Amino acid sequence: MATDGATTDVIGGATAEQTPHRLDKKWTFWFDNQSKPKQGAAWGNNLRDVYTFDTVEEFWCLYDHVFKPSKLPGNADFHLFKAGIEPKWEDPQCANGGKWTVTSSRKAGLETMWLETLMALIGEQFDDADEICGVVASVRQRQDKLSLWTKNAANEAAQVLPMFFSIKMLC
Ligand code: MGP
């Protein structure tokens, strides 16, 4: 263990610096619980930004302890959006966008699609990453679903990759 504030661990004889692994950008996890809607309440009344992070370590901590679809009640959503973009049509970056939705009748299906999409997003695996606003995992009575929100519905070329990504996850 170093004494100057930076911690080091000896793993199998090697020394590893314990500096957090920074992501390319900041991301925000959101939660929307529509399971007990108040009569007359506007859409988004229960939408909350929960935590903004920019390291791999924070991501895994948040994912492991909170943001697993299996922890969601029925009729609730988790969102992961780029920091600064609200998961609403009203947000200027989403206003002209579209969304790709994949449905799953198996609980495990949503769990897998959600984790793989989160890792692809924070790991900057999409060629047209700038075109993506974020992703939403929705638990519904009939069918769970995962939706990828894009910025520009008119940019057809950039819309194709997320679609192939979604199809690949289903196969
Ligand atoms: P939806 O996007 O069709 O799917 O929204 P959802 O929420 O998954 O639907 P569900 O039936 O599976 O629960 C359904 C309705 O919610 C819309 O018709 C709107 O009335 C409202 N709504 C959804 N979104 C994402 C927004 C939004 O961003 N802004 C506003 N004002 N209303 C929204």
Side-chain angles (χ1 to χ4, degrees):
M1 178 84 77
T3 53
D4 61 355
T7 55
T8 52
D9 272 356
V10 177
I11 302 166
T15 303
E17 288 290 334
Q18 287 190 328
T19 44
H21 296 82
R22 204 143 306 272
L23 300 169
D24 270 16
K25 49 177 83 80
K26 288 188 179 180
W27 297 87
T28 303
F29 273 118
W30 296 72
F31 173 52
D32 189 7
N33 187 358
Q34 304 158 43
S35 58
K36 293 175 190 155
K38 284 204 184 107
Q39 195 133 35
W43 180 90
N45 193 40
N46 291 317
L47 180 64
R48 301 278 181 274
D49 60 327
V50 180
Y51 198 93
T52 297
F53 65 94
D54 66 352
T55 67
V56 173
E57 288 76 5
E58 286 172 295
F59 167 74
W60 282 115
C61 184
L62 290 160
Y63 173 78
D64 280 341
H65 294 290
V66 185
F67 292 97
K68 287 188 176 169
S70 55
K71 295 183 192 282
L72 275 174
N75 231 26
D77 300 336
F78 282 147
H79 309 68
L80 180 82
F81 270 59
K82 288 175 182 165
I85 304 182
E86 295 192 17
K88 301 175 176 174
W89 305 334
E90 290 81 358
D91 186 285
Q93 302 220 53
C94 304
N96 299 312
K99 70 175 177 183
W100 291 103
T101 298
V102 189
T103 57
S104 174
S105 47
R106 295 178 303 117
K107 291 291 161 199
L110 181 65
E111 203 88 11
T112 306
M113 293 193 295
W114 172 242
L115 178 58
E116 294 205 359
T117 308
L118 296 184
M119 290 196 294
L121 286 173
I122 67 168
E124 304 296 335
Q125 295 300 302
F126 287 100
D127 285 346
D128 289 301
D130 287 350
E131 289 289 326
I132 295 171
C133 296
V135 63
V136 187
S138 308
V139 172
R140 298 287 184 269
Q141 210 160 23
R142 272 184 306 150
Q143 263 187 333
D144 295 341
K145 57 189 175 186
L146 186 92
S147 303
L148 197 65
W149 284 37
T150 56
K151 280 188 190 169
N152 185 359
N155 184 352
E156 285 185 22
Q159 304 287 312
V160 173
L161 190 72
M163 183 181 71
F164 283 137
F165 181 77
S166 306
I167 290 168
K168 209 176 104 196
M169 285 196 300
L170 278 180
C171 298

